[in-house]
Amino acid sequence: MKTTQPKYSIVIPAFNEADYLDKTLKSLKKLNTKIPYEVIVVDNNSTDATPSIAKKHGAILAEELDAGVCYARQRGTELAKGKYVISTDADTTFNTDWLDNIDAVFKANPKFVAVAGPCRYSDGPSWGMAYPYVLFGLVSFVRKITGRVMYVTATNIAFKKSAWAGYNTNLSQGGDELYLLSTLKKKGKVYFNNANPVSTSGRRLKRGLVY
C-alpha cells in the first residue's frame, strides 16, 4: 500500500472479515493511480485472521477495543495522515479509476468538503440487487434538482479531515452515515457522484429491508 505522505487515507473497519478483506485489499492495490494514499484497517476485536490479512497486504493495522463500527471509523480517522479521508468497508471492491474520480472532483471544486458515491451489491437477496439503483438514483436526482445530498453510504465517501467533527459513537446504525453527513454539511458543500460506485456485499440484506 502507498503510505509516503498520503493525500488520501482509506479507513476500513473490520470485525471478523477474513472471508472478505483479502479481496478488498487486493482491489485497492489494483487502483490505477499516481495519487499517494494509505490504507488503515481498524481491527475491532476480531477473532479470525483479519489482522494477519491486513498485515500481509501492507495496510496500517490499528486496534479499537470498543465494539462498534463508529468506534472503529473514529479510531481510523484519528490516525489518518491524509488531507482527505475515505470511509469504506472490508467487504468492498473498487474500480481501478475510483480514487482518481474522487480526486478529480476535489481538484475542480476545492471548496467541497466531501465527495460521496453509490454502492452496488455483489451478492445477497435478488431484491437487494435493484435496491441501491433506486436509492442512489433518487439521491442523485434530488441533488441535481436541489443541490442537496440527502444520504450517503459509509462505504463510499471521501471528506476533508479538517471538516470532520467526529462520529457519533453512541449510534450503532447511521452514526457513520446520516450523522456524518449532517456535520459535514455544516462545514461546506457535499457532492454526490452517482457515476463512481463501489461494489459491496449484500449479505446484511438477508436481515430484511427494514434493517
Side-chain angles (χ1 to χ4, degrees):
M1 298 296 175
K2 302 179 181 181
T3 57
T4 304
Q5 296 181 332
K7 183 176 183 180
Y8 288 87
S9 298
I10 303 172
V11 175
I12 303 173
F15 170 66
N16 288 343
E17 293 285 4
D19 292 341
Y20 293 89
L21 184 60
D22 186 72
K23 186 176 181 180
T24 294
L25 297 180
K26 284 180 178 177
S27 178
L28 287 172
K29 284 184 174 180
K30 293 178 181 178
L31 292 176
N32 184 18
T33 185
K34 294 182 179 179
I35 302 167
Y37 67 92
E38 64 180 358
V39 177
I40 302 171
V41 175
V42 183
D43 176 33
N44 201 200
N45 302 301
S46 297
T47 57
D48 64 4
T50 291
S52 61
I53 292 171
K55 290 180 180 179
K56 180 183 74 172
H57 286 284
I60 298 168
L61 180 63
E63 186 179 67
E64 177 52 58
L65 298 180
D66 288 320
V69 69
C70 291
Y71 280 111
R73 294 197 200 278
Q74 177 81 21
R75 175 65 171 157
T77 305
E78 287 172 347
L79 294 173
K81 295 179 181 179
K83 177 180 179 180
Y84 302 96
V85 177
I86 301 179
S87 168
T88 190
D89 287 311
D91 56 0
T92 302
T93 57
F94 315 87
N95 295 328
T96 56
D97 59 353
W98 168 74
L99 184 58
D100 276 12
N101 289 339
I102 292 171
D103 192 58
V105 177
F106 278 125
K107 281 184 175 179
N109 305 274
K111 291 185 178 181
F112 283 4
V113 297
V115 176
C119 67
R120 307 284 186 248
Y121 290 122
S122 58
D123 54 25
S126 57
W127 62 265
M129 305 303 284
Y131 168 66
Y133 288 90
V134 175
L135 172 62
F136 293 111
L138 178 61
V139 171
S140 183
F141 175 76
V142 171
R143 184 200 65 80
K144 289 178 181 178
I145 298 299
T146 69
R148 300 185 64 183
V149 176
M150 65 179 190
Y151 175 74
V152 296
T153 172
T155 199
N156 190 8
I157 180 170
F159 52 88
K160 289 181 178 178
K161 187 173 181 181
S162 61
W164 178 66
Y167 288 100
N168 186 341
T169 55
N170 293 319
L171 298 174
S172 60
Q173 192 80 358
D176 55 350
E177 293 179 335
L178 293 178
Y179 180 83
L180 174 65
L181 177 60
S182 68
T183 57
L184 288 172
K185 282 182 176 180
K186 295 176 182 178
K187 299 296 181 70
K189 187 173 181 62
V190 176
Y191 182 79
F192 182 80
N193 181 6
N194 202 35
N196 197 37
V198 299
S199 178
T200 195
S201 174
R203 55 194 161 133
R204 294 177 182 85
L205 295 181
K206 294 177 181 178
R207 303 180 190 181
L209 180 60
V210 174
Y211 173 82

